[in-house]
Amino acid sequence: MKSNNSTRPVVSFPKLALLAAVFLGIVFLLPRPAGLEPAAWRLLGIFVATVLGLMIEPMPGGALVLLAVTLASILGGLTIQQALAGYGDPTVWLVMAAFFISRALINTGLARRIALFFVRLFGKSSLGISYALSASDMVLASIIPSNAARSGGVVLPIMRSIAELYGSQPGATAALLGSFLFTAVYQNICVTAAMFFTGQASNPLAAQMAAQAGYTVTWTSWFLAGIVPGLCSLTIVPMVVLRLNPPKIRHTPEAAAFASRELAAMGPLSREEKIMATVFATVCGMWVTSGWHKVDITVTALLGSAALLVSGVLKWEDVKSERAAWDIFIWYGGLLRLGKALGDAGVTTEFAGGVAGIFGGASWELLFAAGLLIYFYAHYGFASITAHMLAMYPAFLALFAAKAAPLGLVVYAFACFTNLAAGLTHYGTTPSPMFYAHGYVSFRRWWTTGFVVSLINIAIWSVVGFSWWKLLGLW
Amino acid sequence: MKSNNSTRPVVSFPKLALLAAVFLGIVFLLPRPAGLEPAAWRLLGIFVATVLGLMIEPMPGGALVLLAVTLASILGGLTIQQALAGYGDPTVWLVMAAFFISRALINTGLARRIALFFVRLFGKSSLGISYALSASDMVLASIIPSNAARSGGVVLPIMRSIAELYGSQPGATAALLGSFLFTAVYQNICVTAAMFFTGQASNPLAAQMAAQAGYTVTWTSWFLAGIVPGLCSLTIVPMVVLRLNPPKIRHTPEAAAFASRELAAMGPLSREEKIMATVFATVCGMWVTSGWHKVDITVTALLGSAALLVSGVLKWEDVKSERAAWDIFIWYGGLLRLGKALGDAGVTTEFAGGVAGIFGGASWELLFAAGLLIYFYAHYGFASITAHMLAMYPAFLALFAAKAAPLGLVVYAFACFTNLAAGLTHYGTTPSPMFYAHGYVSFRRWWTTGFVVSLINIAIWSVVGFSWWKLLGLW
């Protein structure tokens, strides 16, 4: 949805017609609850058609959202001011500022240096390499919300180089080392995405939707919630994958030596890297402590970008040319606003009331367990974490709020599970096809690994995670 | 300020220090009126330092504005929500949507076809060529707010080709045809910028500032106000320039033939061009009639972009890669909001009250005449119409509002004069250096032409313009 569709030249009119039919179906066939305005019902039609559009992609997601925003101002009962308000939303600008910082983190080479550092430290065995790369991705996930840039842009190239170092290429030699590394690390980048507020671009969106449902999620609270089950998964998953896709080469001193050589070639930290490291540490430090000093995390991120711009570490040209960021900006700001408007118009509450009425007899615990599983495995149908979150997250939140389930548990469980579920397929989130396309792993092996790891992750996060969250007082 | 600084790698710390000093000077040395909060005074400091920064450019304008927006949320008494709100402003999105439409207008070749059409029609004499190119620029100015894209990107290459067709190159042969064309057309692109709401990117900004001062400017009202004095200038200015920089070649049948050949080579209108022409005509038609059907002009522009995206005439990739648009987006949204915030905080009113007190004795007519002249020639100090408008326009509006001068006259006179004044120098607006850099015209000749034409333009707009506006009932 983010980058891979950008070069597709064709707009699919049959698919657009389907979206129009869905819209018309909702507006004219679906019975409108008495409490809702016709405009609210049309807004629902626009929203559903848009989310469906993000899944079937009749045209690039950003273009579709821009169209939806425009239509919302004509048909959905919003003024054009209200429809466009998402583009001034601090959450959206948090993501933008983090994107700008990411660009500098990658351009200065610091991100690569961090990854090489971990490989030098842990890279003497194949399992160690997978830990090193996961650890790098985890550190970067604390500030880089683009998993495509982080996992696909920084971690992936180093992993490929290491596999080739041991003569493991796609095909006959894949099983030497590559197939293990690609599956183990891919599974772990879905875990790191679940661990942070900034782990993945739509996590702040989940936080926004939670706020609308009356529950506040901060960078710090997500960090605390994610760290324990996250570290468990990051440790256990590669061990499981090691049994599923055992590499022939277990002992890999050459990988650590490779990292040493690369680090030596990079020389000491450059002026740019030093400034970058300082900004990185300061921004993360400010985020962790934001509960105390109350500086808004968007302000911190913008100050971080500004510091990089003023020091010349980040070029303005890079900001203007950050196409992926501008793409995300348009669909993100638009969808955020439409979701909010839907809540404001009372549609979400109405829906939850209806569903809660149907399941009136069931306990929330039973519904929660069933709901989480359905939600998780529904990701087989999604090519994007954001689309999944948009389509299902607010509905489940509203449902469980209506059932008086503990909101903290619901908010974190569903938000984290959306990210973990991306591991199921080779298209679950933007970097998935980047990893899969290297061709080290067959379709069958990729999906088998995804399914087995999904059981492990669900077990870890339900047992360790939910207990930890109980301990934290989140529920 | 828009494109030419983008490749400049250096951030100037002495200049940044100067801006900091200006900020501190305003906050600590300038006596704060009793009615204003300290935060409002700091906001003024940020605003003045930013506008000064756009003039002296310690770093790219966009980066500076992003920094200013962030600081406004820390020091200026705004929440981060308020500081970022400009990025959801319909005026800003009108400009963005128009930028996207412009991209398609240029990419499909329709813009070039329009220009060639006029050259074929009027291009049999050198004066005719200048009229043809001015007419093309005028037609395009009705929808393309980027004068760099329109005048620099479409009109300029055709003009250069025609000059070369007659053997007129920079240097010895410049006087054959090129020096006349470059000066005449350059002067006229400053007139076309003044004629439309969308004639130049900061015109909608002027309209916003006028709205804040209590006066509504629409696309239609600007069109009506600009058309009569604009056509007068477009007709008379090339005649004046013909005397100032007489071309040796007066009869140019080859230019019209060239346009014919180029048009023949382009063949009939392509599918893309037909769709583009329909969207162009529809959007402009909807704008002209917006007073009647009340569809917001931003909605119209967004629908136009959407139609181009859906029909595949505009590629999403082009939207994401429209670096100039994203650059403008950042400084525009930020400055728009800071200006509004300054008004909301009472700073503008306070200023106007103070200045009006000083000139208490003078009649508004005298002040108006003196003010307009000062305002016009102050453009010698500006490398950007936007910077000029931001720095001086709201202050003059507030002053004349306080003097109870007829606001309609003040609003249009100052707004149009900012654009006309860009003709004074070879750096007055983004396309100026593009034209000047071709090297057909010496510095001395460029400035002499600019000065003489400024007198003509001031005469035309003061006599014909103000009378026409009286007739329209604008004052």
Side-chain angles (χ1 to χ4, degrees):
Chain A
M1 171 176 147
K2 287 157 211 169
S3 55
N4 37 341
N5 60 358
S6 55
T7 50
R8 191 187 302 178
V10 200
V11 173
S12 161
F13 287 99
K15 286 183 182 176
L16 273 181
L18 175 65
L19 297 189
V22 166
F23 170 74
L24 293 172
I26 289 174
V27 172
F28 291 108
L29 301 180
L30 197 67
R32 174 166 53 87
L36 294 182
E37 297 288 321
W41 215 231
R42 291 194 295 269
L43 191 65
L44 175 67
I46 293 171
F47 188 78
V48 172
T50 307
V51 173
L52 180 64
L54 292 178
M55 296 168 66
I56 64 172
E57 292 201 307
M59 59 199 285
L64 192 72
V65 170
L66 200 58
L67 177 59
V69 165
T70 311
L71 291 179
S73 83
I74 300 173
L75 302 169
L78 302 180
T79 65
I80 184 68
Q81 282 81 357
Q82 291 171 330
L84 291 169
Y87 299 114
D89 192 286
T91 303
V92 177
W93 281 91
L94 168 67
V95 174
M96 293 304 285
F99 256 96
F100 302 152
I101 296 175
S102 313
R103 173 53 48 214
L105 201 49
I106 293 167
N107 283 3
T108 55
L110 186 64
R112 185 175 142 80
R113 189 189 287 272
I114 290 171
L116 290 169
F117 168 80
F118 278 111
V119 173
R120 188 174 63 181
L121 206 60
F122 302 123
K124 297 205 176 79
S125 71
S126 34
L127 189 63
I129 297 170
S130 74
Y131 284 142
L133 293 172
S134 308
S136 317
D137 197 63
M138 185 189 76
V139 169
L140 297 176
S142 66
I143 203 166
I144 303 187
S146 165
N147 55 356
R150 176 182 86 222
S151 316
V154 176
V155 171
L156 184 55
I158 294 178
M159 182 165 73
R160 172 83 197 227
S161 303
I162 292 175
E164 292 190 347
L165 210 61
Y166 276 96
S168 179
Q169 298 271 4
T173 56
L176 285 179
L177 182 59
S179 65
F180 162 68
L181 283 184
F182 271 77
T183 44
V185 174
Y186 174 67
Q187 290 302 324
N188 267 0
I189 67 158
C190 298
V191 174
T192 56
M195 286 174 70
F196 297 92
F197 192 95
T198 41
Q200 194 264 118
S202 49
N203 289 357
L205 197 64
Q208 273 272 6
M209 299 191 276
Q212 254 185 283
Y215 190 88
T216 306
V217 174
T218 63
W219 192 90
T220 321
S221 73
W222 193 312
F223 173 73
L224 286 175
I227 192 77
V228 169
L231 287 176
C232 285
S233 279
L234 290 182
T235 312
I236 295 169
V237 166
M239 293 179 185
V240 173
V241 177
L242 195 78
R243 308 201 120 220
L244 290 174
N245 310 324
K248 299 234 169 68
I249 296 167
R250 298 289 176 117
H251 187 59
T252 57
E254 193 42 43
F258 159 79
S260 281
R261 282 196 306 276
E262 291 287 309
L263 283 171
M266 287 182 91
L269 280 175
S270 66
R271 171 186 164 271
E272 274 75 22
E273 281 180 288
K274 282 181 192 155
I275 295 172
M276 184 63 241
T278 311
V279 170
F280 184 4
T282 310
V283 168
C284 286
M286 295 267 292
W287 281 353
V288 173
T289 54
S290 57
W292 169 66
H293 54 65
K294 307 286 179 209
V295 175
D296 185 282
I297 59 170
T298 301
V299 173
T300 303
L302 284 169
L303 280 176
S305 313
L308 293 170
L309 284 164
V310 167
S311 60
V313 173
L314 179 64
K315 306 279 179 293
W316 185 245
E317 192 55 34
D318 293 330
V319 170
K320 289 193 295 179
S321 318
E322 190 62 48
R323 300 205 319 262
W326 294 116
D327 189 19
I328 283 197
F329 180 71
I330 289 196
W331 59 256
Y332 204 78
L335 289 172
L336 187 94
R337 187 65 195 94
L338 292 183
K340 266 191 188 171
L342 220 47
D344 293 345
V347 178
T348 320
T349 324
E350 197 69 45
F351 165 84
V355 179
I358 297 172
F359 297 103
S363 71
W364 74 261
E365 288 88 349
L366 190 72
L367 269 186
F368 180 65
L372 261 183
L373 284 177
I374 293 170
Y375 183 82
F376 194 105
Y377 289 102
H379 201 74
Y380 277 115
F382 286 98
S384 142
I385 296 177
T386 310
H388 187 175
M389 228 173 236
L390 278 164
M392 302 180 69
Y393 189 71
F396 275 99
L397 280 196
L399 169 62
F400 286 104
K403 292 292 289 184
L407 214 47
L409 176 66
V410 175
V411 160
Y412 286 104
F414 281 89
C416 293
F417 274 39
T418 339
N419 287 287
L420 297 172
L424 287 173
T425 63
H426 57 295
Y427 51 73
T429 175
T430 317
S432 323
M434 300 179 177
F435 278 68
Y436 181 72
H438 277 259
Y440 276 90
V441 188
S442 69
F443 167 83
R444 188 193 164 88
R445 186 177 292 274
W446 193 273
W447 276 50
T448 309
T449 311
F451 183 73
V452 174
V453 171
S454 76
L455 300 176
I456 306 292
N457 271 331
I458 291 174
I460 292 173
W461 288 71
S462 307
V463 178
V464 181
F466 296 177
S467 312
W468 171 242
W469 298 346
K470 186 81 186 173
L471 211 71
L472 285 179
L474 296 181
W475 63 291
Chain B
M1 171 177 147
K2 286 158 212 168
S3 55
N4 37 342
N5 60 0
S6 56
T7 50
R8 191 187 300 178
V10 200
V11 173
S12 161
F13 287 99
K15 286 183 181 174
L16 274 181
L18 175 65
L19 297 189
V22 166
F23 169 75
L24 293 173
I26 289 175
V27 172
F28 291 108
L29 301 180
L30 197 66
R32 172 166 54 88
L36 294 182
E37 296 289 320
W41 215 231
R42 290 194 295 267
L43 191 64
L44 176 68
I46 293 171
F47 188 79
V48 171
T50 307
V51 172
L52 180 64
L54 292 177
M55 296 168 66
I56 65 172
E57 292 201 307
M59 58 199 286
L64 193 71
V65 170
L66 200 57
L67 176 60
V69 165
T70 312
L71 291 178
S73 82
I74 301 174
L75 302 169
L78 301 180
T79 64
I80 183 68
Q81 281 82 357
Q82 291 172 331
L84 290 169
Y87 298 115
D89 192 285
T91 303
V92 177
W93 282 90
L94 167 67
V95 174
M96 293 304 285
F99 256 95
F100 301 152
I101 296 175
S102 314
R103 172 54 48 213
L105 202 49
I106 293 168
N107 284 4
T108 56
L110 186 64
R112 186 173 140 79
R113 190 187 287 272
I114 291 171
L116 290 169
F117 168 81
F118 278 111
V119 173
R120 186 175 63 181
L121 205 61
F122 302 122
K124 298 207 175 76
S125 71
S126 34
L127 190 62
I129 298 170
S130 74
Y131 284 142
L133 293 173
S134 308
S136 317
D137 197 62
M138 186 188 77
V139 170
L140 297 175
S142 66
I143 202 167
I144 303 188
S146 165
N147 56 356
R150 177 181 85 224
S151 316
V154 177
V155 171
L156 185 55
I158 295 178
M159 182 164 73
R160 171 83 197 227
S161 303
I162 293 175
E164 292 189 348
L165 210 61
Y166 276 95
S168 179
Q169 298 271 5
T173 56
L176 286 179
L177 182 58
S179 66
F180 162 69
L181 283 184
F182 271 77
T183 43
V185 174
Y186 174 68
Q187 289 303 324
N188 268 2
I189 68 158
C190 299
V191 174
T192 56
M195 287 174 70
F196 298 92
F197 193 96
T198 42
Q200 194 264 118
S202 49
N203 289 358
L205 196 65
Q208 271 272 8
M209 298 191 278
Q212 254 185 284
Y215 189 88
T216 306
V217 174
T218 64
W219 191 91
T220 320
S221 74
W222 194 313
F223 172 74
L224 286 174
I227 193 76
V228 169
L231 287 175
C232 285
S233 278
L234 290 182
T235 313
I236 295 169
V237 166
M239 294 180 184
V240 173
V241 177
L242 195 78
R243 309 202 120 221
L244 290 174
N245 310 325
K248 300 234 170 67
I249 297 166
R250 298 289 176 118
H251 187 58
T252 58
E254 193 43 43
F258 159 79
S260 282
R261 281 196 308 275
E262 291 286 310
L263 283 170
M266 287 182 92
L269 280 177
S270 65
R271 171 186 163 270
E272 273 75 23
E273 281 180 288
K274 281 182 193 155
I275 296 173
M276 183 64 241
T278 312
V279 169
F280 184 4
T282 310
V283 168
C284 286
M286 294 267 291
W287 282 352
V288 173
T289 54
S290 57
W292 169 67
H293 53 67
K294 306 287 180 208
V295 175
D296 185 280
I297 58 170
T298 301
V299 173
T300 303
L302 284 169
L303 280 177
S305 314
L308 294 171
L309 283 165
V310 167
S311 60
V313 173
L314 179 63
K315 305 281 180 292
W316 185 244
E317 192 55 34
D318 293 330
V319 170
K320 289 193 294 179
S321 319
E322 191 62 49
R323 300 204 319 263
W326 293 117
D327 189 19
I328 283 197
F329 180 71
I330 289 196
W331 59 256
Y332 205 77
L335 289 172
L336 188 93
R337 187 66 195 92
L338 292 183
K340 266 191 188 170
L342 220 49
D344 294 344
V347 178
T348 321
T349 324
E350 197 70 43
F351 166 84
V355 178
I358 298 171
F359 297 104
S363 72
W364 75 260
E365 289 88 350
L366 190 72
L367 270 185
F368 180 66
L372 260 182
L373 284 177
I374 292 170
Y375 183 83
F376 194 106
Y377 289 102
H379 201 74
Y380 277 115
F382 287 97
S384 143
I385 296 177
T386 309
H388 187 174
M389 228 173 234
L390 278 164
M392 302 180 67
Y393 190 71
F396 275 99
L397 280 196
L399 168 64
F400 287 105
K403 292 291 291 183
L407 215 47
L409 177 64
V410 175
V411 160
Y412 286 105
F414 281 89
C416 294
F417 274 39
T418 340
N419 287 287
L420 297 172
L424 287 173
T425 63
H426 57 295
Y427 52 73
T429 175
T430 318
S432 325
M434 300 179 177
F435 278 69
Y436 181 73
H438 277 258
Y440 276 90
V441 188
S442 69
F443 168 83
R444 189 192 164 88
R445 184 177 292 273
W446 194 272
W447 277 50
T448 309
T449 310
F451 183 74
V452 174
V453 171
S454 76
L455 300 176
I456 306 291
N457 272 331
I458 290 173
I460 292 173
W461 289 71
S462 309
V463 178
V464 181
F466 296 176
S467 313
W468 171 242
W469 299 346
K470 186 82 187 170
L471 212 70
L472 286 178
L474 297 180
W475 62 290

